[in-house]
Amino acid sequence: MLAAMPDSAPSPLSAGGVSPRSGLSTGGVSPRSGLSTGGVSPRSGPSAGGVSPRAGGDACPGTLRLHRADDGALARVRIPGGVLNPDQADALRAAAERFGDGELHLTSRGNVQLRGLGTECGGELADLLTAAGLLPSAAHERARNIVASPLAGLDGSPSLGPWLAELDALVCGSVAAATLSGRFLFALDDGRGDVDALGADVTLIAEGRSESALLRIGAADEVFRVPAAEAPRAALLAAEEFLRAARDSGAWRVKDLPDDVRSELARTIGSAAGPAVHRPRPRTATPPAPGPHGSAITAGVPLGRLTSAQWRLLTETARRYGGELRLTPWRGIVIPGPVPRPEAAEALRTLSGSGLITAPDSPWTGIGACIGHPGCAKSLSDVRAEAGAAVGRPGRLPVYWSGCERRCGHPHGEWIDVVVTPDGHRISHVRGEHRGPPTTVRNDPAALAAAVAEARA
């Protein structure tokens, strides 16, 4: 097993514990869990002996570092595994209503963004989230980027709750992990390949009910077999090894490392983790279809944007059935339940009536967009309004509308890319790292909608 970075010390954790009883978990990290791992002490960390080339350049927002946008300040609340209990969901809604524009925005990592915040609300927001167990360690609030298969444990697949609870605690207990970029991503996959396809920096893959797991570093096709009981620690130690490798290059993510450094990182991890296994990363991420899934129900969120009333309805539904919500990396929500079959149809009808996506044949299925104008100064257009105007029959491929070349929040795998440029809307077919020949539509909404529909067919 990899060695922890020296001079480790745990950071203070708040109450609001993680429960591994269900397929994922139900909240923050308990200080009573006793979990900790190696980290870098303030005296010997990555920045020892001077300022790290990574210091100060990561502008990724959090809850303690708000981002200024054209519609006010923005906070991004990390929700490891996307898992919330109803009380935590209530706290997020209260924060949106009290400090922001009243809406809750889901991200492509299963996190929540609050927009339209006042610039002076940071302290009160942090207090509210801490009390709800959503900010267990101030030093690690941007490092708790963990996505997990949202149907884990609900359809015969392995439960990921114990992994999620332990990895979150280990991250919050590592001084080194506090220096991870807000972009660095962990993924916990139950074996179906849904979040393995998202291009995380460190991915754990369950192997059924076996006593082993697979560890993937970046997008490499080679994975390493590790004992399942030690998998969360192996994931953290791989992240700490990445920090060592990134010291000179200033890389935020594994894919940003120079090729030779990335190869050496894989060799170092492989020499300690276990035998290598050839398992190519899935190229397409398949989200849970909206509707019933056994005793669970799933709803999609048009453009990832929830009103306070919609959020309240989802929270109360979860409170009635099982007491848990799971936010997905595809801007949807799973209510694990159990929801009795006779009541599931009525619950889905109620959610549909509020404007949520509850069936695969919804015209909104597979449509996404960045915040666009006027919320973002870099956006060249109100892409959310344009995406809504172009909604038609469901397409075979997802489509994502971006107001500029940054493509914030875009999906992974195969999708239709619509980007606003000074010359018009550029439409292209993306397959992993490959992009097909583009088509540009200029100032013609009807032609734009037709072109997008044709590309998605």
Side-chain angles (χ1 to χ4, degrees), residues 16-28 83 161-162 165 324:
V18 171
S19 168
R21 290 176 294 126
S22 64
L24 289 177
S25 67
T26 56
V83 178
E324 180 177 297

Side-chain angles (χ1 to χ4, degrees), residues 163-386:
W163 276 5
L164 179 60
E166 185 176 357
L167 179 57
D168 190 23
L170 289 170
V171 168
C172 288
S174 165
V175 176
T179 68
L180 288 169
S181 162
R183 299 170 174 85
F184 193 93
L185 180 64
F186 295 94
L188 306 180
D189 193 289
D190 64 5
R192 76 186 71 218
D194 54 354
V195 298
D196 188 17
L198 297 181
D201 298 281
V202 176
T203 302
L204 289 178
I205 307 164
E207 289 196 292
R209 306 290 177 179
S210 75
E211 295 183 359
S212 64
L214 300 176
L215 172 67
R216 188 187 307 280
I217 307 303
D221 286 340
E222 300 296 322
V223 296
F224 304 103
R225 184 164 277 118
V226 298
E230 299 179 24
R233 184 175 294 275
L236 176 71
L237 296 178
E240 292 183 336
E241 193 65 38
F242 160 80
L243 288 171
R244 288 190 185 97
R247 282 175 175 168
D248 293 333
S249 67
W252 301 118
R253 303 194 61 188
V254 169
K255 66 180 181 181
D256 301 329
L257 291 170
D259 291 345
D260 59 333
V261 177
R262 187 166 59 249
S263 296
E264 181 60 29
L265 172 65
R267 283 193 294 271
T268 301
I269 292 172
S271 66
V277 178
H278 184 71
R279 178 167 172 156
R281 182 171 63 89
R283 301 308 179 203
T284 299
T286 303
H293 290 267
S295 60
I297 58 175
T298 299
V301 180
L303 304 180
R305 187 175 181 177
L306 286 155
T307 66
S308 177
Q310 288 172 323
W311 186 266
R312 185 195 298 271
L313 176 60
L314 286 161
T315 302
E316 291 308 313
T317 303
R319 183 172 273 119
R320 189 178 310 120
Y321 301 115
E324 180 177 297
L325 304 95
R326 299 181 185 178
L327 313 182
T328 80
W330 302 278
R331 298 178 175 87
I333 295 181
V334 174
I335 297 176
V339 183
R341 189 173 296 274
E343 300 177 38
E346 179 58 31
L348 287 167
R349 277 194 294 270
T350 302
L351 295 175
S352 177
S354 75
L356 299 176
I357 305 166
T358 58
D361 60 356
S362 165
W364 281 102
T365 298
I367 298 176
C370 71
I371 194 65
H373 184 78
C376 176
K378 291 183 172 62
S379 179
L380 301 179
S381 182
D382 185 351
V383 287
R384 294 195 168 202
E386 291 173 341

